[in-house]
Amino acid sequence: MMKLELISFKLCPYVQRSVITLLEKAVPFDINYINLSEPPAWFLSISPTGKVPVLRVNDTVLFESAVINEYLDETHPPSLLPNNPLKKALNRAWIEFASNLLTTLYKAILCNEKDSFNHEIIILKKELEQLEKNLGDGPYFNGDTFGLLDTAYAPVFKHLSVVENIEALKLHDTLPKINRWKDTLLQRKSVRASVVDDFESLYHAYLKSNNTYLAQRM
Ligand SMILES: N[C@@H](CCC(=O)N[C@@H](CS)C(=O)NCC(=O)O)C(=O)O
């Protein structure tokens, strides 16, 4: 059997994708948390990008969350991707879109002033409106079944919910489908178990240490 070790940072939404996939598939794995503000030398020597997640599969080092997830999906059937090639391709495209959302959200949370924060939130809202237009009736993106795509959006919603506990973003009226999907995902067992218990307080500490606008609002 393959020995799996996931290298993680407790606040990283990309690692969270892999954790959710591993939990959904009930695959045994070890998790090794590192501090990304002072990455250990051994990590820098094995990681081509210096980024997490990294999945060690026996002696092989795999990186990039989308690739790690597809590897886990292929090696632990049944697949969490649709069988139909066009639907599968669309799922991959929307997984990439989740990464764009994370980039925008990350820019927003690091803003030091109200104006720049609000500017990024306007961009985020526009991106979310695009997503809303492309959602079906749920409860998951592909309908009744939870998929790999959902593992990419759950971390977006988790991070967004911490931000919304600090500052009301008023996303609720215009994005009913996203809000329903968000609630479904955040209640799911694998999603709840995919972050550490003190996630929210660690997130707050991160906001404070970066002297952000949101830290002033806490
Ligand atoms: N495209 C990468 C993004 C991963 C990523 O940005 N990870 C962040 C933490 S959330 C990181 O490791 N940053 C460290 C750095 O950029 O030096 C993936 O999907 O795995």
Side-chain angles (χ1 to χ4, degrees), residues 9 11-14 17 36 49-53 63-66 99:
F9 171 61
L11 292 175
C12 178
Y14 298 94
R17 296 176 172 184
L36 271 184
T49 58
K51 292 181 182 181
V52 291
F63 58 106
E64 286 297 334
S65 61
S99 301

Side-chain angles (χ1 to χ4, degrees), residues 90-91 93-102 123-137 140-142 149-150 152-154 156-157 160 171 174-182 185:
L90 255 185
N91 272 225
W94 283 105
I95 287 171
E96 188 58 31
F97 194 86
S99 301
N100 297 347
L101 283 173
L102 285 174
I123 296 171
L124 183 72
K125 273 188 187 163
K126 287 194 178 131
E127 290 174 351
L128 289 171
E129 280 159 12
Q130 287 297 332
L131 177 64
E132 177 80 16
K133 280 198 296 195
N134 286 279
L135 290 182
D137 294 333
Y140 300 107
F141 187 87
N142 293 315
L149 182 140
D150 297 281
Y153 279 87
V156 177
F157 297 145
L160 203 50
L171 300 172
T174 54
L175 304 170
K177 288 180 175 175
I178 290 183
N179 285 316
R180 259 201 322 269
W181 187 27
K182 175 180 168 191
L185 288 181

Side-chain angles (χ1 to χ4, degrees), residues 55-126:
L55 183 71
R56 269 207 267 222
V57 184
N58 291 339
D59 293 331
T60 304
V61 170
L62 205 55
F63 58 106
E64 286 297 334
S65 61
V67 176
I68 290 173
N69 260 5
E70 290 219 18
Y71 166 75
L72 292 171
D73 191 50
E74 255 186 81
T75 48
H76 299 88
S79 176
L80 292 172
L81 280 167
N83 285 329
N84 174 290
L86 188 55
K87 283 197 182 138
K88 193 189 287 190
L90 255 185
N91 272 225
R92 289 184 174 127
W94 283 105
I95 287 171
E96 188 58 31
F97 194 86
S99 301
N100 297 347
L101 283 173
L102 285 174
T103 303
T104 309
L105 185 60
Y106 188 60
K107 277 191 202 157
I109 67 149
L110 284 184
C111 287
N112 305 116
E113 296 158 3
K114 186 178 180 178
D115 286 351
S116 51
F117 175 79
N118 285 340
H119 175 76
E120 295 301 335
I121 293 300
I122 289 170
I123 296 171
L124 183 72
K125 273 188 187 163
K126 287 194 178 131

